Amino acid sequence: MTLVFRQSWLFGPRRETIRIHGDRIEHAKPGIVARTRTVSVRFEHIAEIVLDRRMLWSSLSVDTTGGGGFTIHGLRRQQGDIAKRELERGIAELHAAESLAEALERLGRLKAEGLLTEQEFVAAKGAVFRRAA
């Protein structure tokens, strides 16, 4: 199941979109000359989710363990709440399925394969220990 949330048209003619899949979130930001930049973040790489709720609109920020991420402004409050809840649910399901030892083994494999830098590895390992506490 894929959930799609679009930025309000009040925030400009080129509206940003987020798609929440079963294992990742994608943020599509249209460019000036029809070039769209899409950022895809797997749930295991999400370090923090921040929802800034205002009177009518919300902003959703997703930060990654490697220091990247994105922010989408102009979501309706209800959409922002649903998006945050679904992301947290997906992350919880991912981490509930693996033990602390399995998570550390997975991170070690990713580092050994060159998919994580030393800094990303340390940040992800810290996140695993924080969630286990």
Side-chain angles (χ1 to χ4, degrees), residues 60-90:
L60 181 72
S61 297
V62 176
D63 296 324
T64 66
T65 56
F70 60 84
T71 301
I72 182 170
H73 303 283
L75 292 175
R76 289 191 177 93
R77 285 184 67 180
Q78 182 181 13
Q79 288 181 333
D81 293 340
I82 293 169
K84 183 175 185 208
R85 185 173 50 244
E86 287 301 313
L87 286 171
E88 288 174 342
R89 183 190 58 75

Side-chain angles (χ1 to χ4, degrees), residues 44-69:
E44 59 259 21
H45 296 291
I46 294 177
E48 184 177 24
I49 305 164
V50 178
L51 181 64
D52 182 16
R53 298 180 78 219
R54 302 297 173 134
M55 189 175 289
L56 297 174
W57 311 105
S58 294
S59 295
L60 181 72
S61 297
V62 176
D63 296 324
T64 66
T65 56

Side-chain angles (χ1 to χ4, degrees), residues 111 116-125:
K111 183 181 175 207
L116 289 178
T117 64
E118 180 66 30
Q119 183 181 10
E120 291 171 332
F121 174 73
V122 170
K125 190 169 67 169

Side-chain angles (χ1 to χ4, degrees), residues 26-48:
E26 294 176 348
H27 174 242
K29 185 174 185 174
I32 294 174
V33 187
R35 181 177 277 248
T36 300
R37 182 178 147 249
T38 302
V39 176
S40 182
V41 180
R42 298 186 60 77
F43 288 160
E44 59 259 21
H45 296 291
I46 294 177
E48 184 177 24

